[in-house]
Amino acid sequence: MVENATGPRLSAFARRFRDDRGGLAALEFALVAPMMFLVLFMSFELTDAMAANRRAEVTASSLADVISRDVVVSDDEIRGLFAAIPLLTRPTDPVLVQARVTSIFIDASGQATVRWSEGSGMAPLPEGSPVTIPVGMQVPESGLFRWETVLNDEPPLVLFSLAPIVISKTEYRRPRIADPVLRN
């Protein structure tokens, strides 16, 4: 029987490699480090997505609250509300933010239709068109405001998502002083 000449050398090398403890920490680090960096970068992106979600929520809620306190809404006020969006959504690029405010009337039968609508980066809804609203908001013979904010947030590292994260928030508010709130 002819024995392979590399056989004894290879098994001796394998035993030496198995028994050698020098460099074990470096090997463990080389195996664990990529996972640690992956978790670290994912936490950056998750934190940014959560902050973007909060910015969209605050924008929709704040601006819906402002417009619900009016008696008459003018063009200047609408422009002012839309001008506040970049401040509320900072550091998101204002070009990536869309918004729309809609005044809704609910008739005696519970049918909701658009009274007026204005948009920034988003088309306004046609006057008189039907809209769907949450069941709890369907109070006959009343008005309602709907503020929609769509934020296309670009992640800071762009490691795990190549497209922007689209966050959409909708807030409803009842007029506080006058119903209906007229559009000037």
Side-chain angles (χ1 to χ4, degrees), residues 50-69:
M50 289 170 52
N53 183 53
R54 183 71 181 140
R55 287 192 303 270
E57 194 173 283
V58 164
T59 300
S61 178
S62 298
L63 297 178
D65 191 52
V66 168
I67 206 160
S68 71
R69 297 170 189 249

Side-chain angles (χ1 to χ4, degrees), residues 97-111:
V97 182
Q98 301 168 325
R100 176 171 48 211
V101 60
T102 305
S103 177
I104 300 168
F105 177 70
I106 305 158
D107 64 17
S109 66
Q111 176 66 36

Side-chain angles (χ1 to χ4, degrees), residues 72-96:
V72 176
V73 178
S74 67
D75 288 340
D76 287 340
E77 184 172 5
I78 292 292
R79 279 192 295 275
L81 291 172
F82 288 147
I85 291 172
L87 300 172
L88 293 169
T89 59
R90 187 173 288 156
T92 301
D93 183 359
V95 175
L96 301 174

Side-chain angles (χ1 to χ4, degrees), residues 46-182:
L46 178 63
T47 301
D48 182 67
M50 289 170 52
N53 183 53
R54 183 71 181 140
R55 287 192 303 270
E57 194 173 283
V58 164
T59 300
S61 178
S62 298
L63 297 178
D65 191 52
V66 168
I67 206 160
S68 71
R69 297 170 189 249
D70 279 339
V71 176
V72 176
V73 178
S74 67
D75 288 340
D76 287 340
E77 184 172 5
I78 292 292
R79 279 192 295 275
L81 291 172
F82 288 147
I85 291 172
L87 300 172
L88 293 169
T89 59
R90 187 173 288 156
T92 301
D93 183 359
V95 175
L96 301 174
V97 182
Q98 301 168 325
R100 176 171 48 211
V101 60
T102 305
S103 177
I104 300 168
F105 177 70
I106 305 158
D107 64 17
S109 66
Q111 176 66 36
T113 56
V114 175
R115 270 195 197 134
W116 56 265
S117 182
E118 295 289 336
S120 172
M122 176 184 292
L125 298 175
E127 188 176 326
S129 63
V131 290
T132 304
I133 60 173
V135 175
M137 304 298 275
Q138 295 176 348
V139 176
E141 298 295 322
S142 70
L144 189 63
F145 283 108
R146 177 170 70 187
W147 188 282
E148 301 164 82
T149 301
V150 178
L151 192 114
N152 298 298
D153 188 55
E154 294 177 341
L157 301 176
V158 192
L159 292 176
F160 304 104
S161 59
L162 298 176
I165 299 168
V166 178
I167 300 167
S168 179
K169 294 294 177 181
T170 303
E171 285 287 329
Y172 291 92
R173 291 288 191 278
R174 295 232 175 263
R176 294 185 183 196
I177 300 170
D179 192 7
V181 174
L182 303 174

Side-chain angles (χ1 to χ4, degrees), residues 9 30 80 128:
R9 256 189 271 148

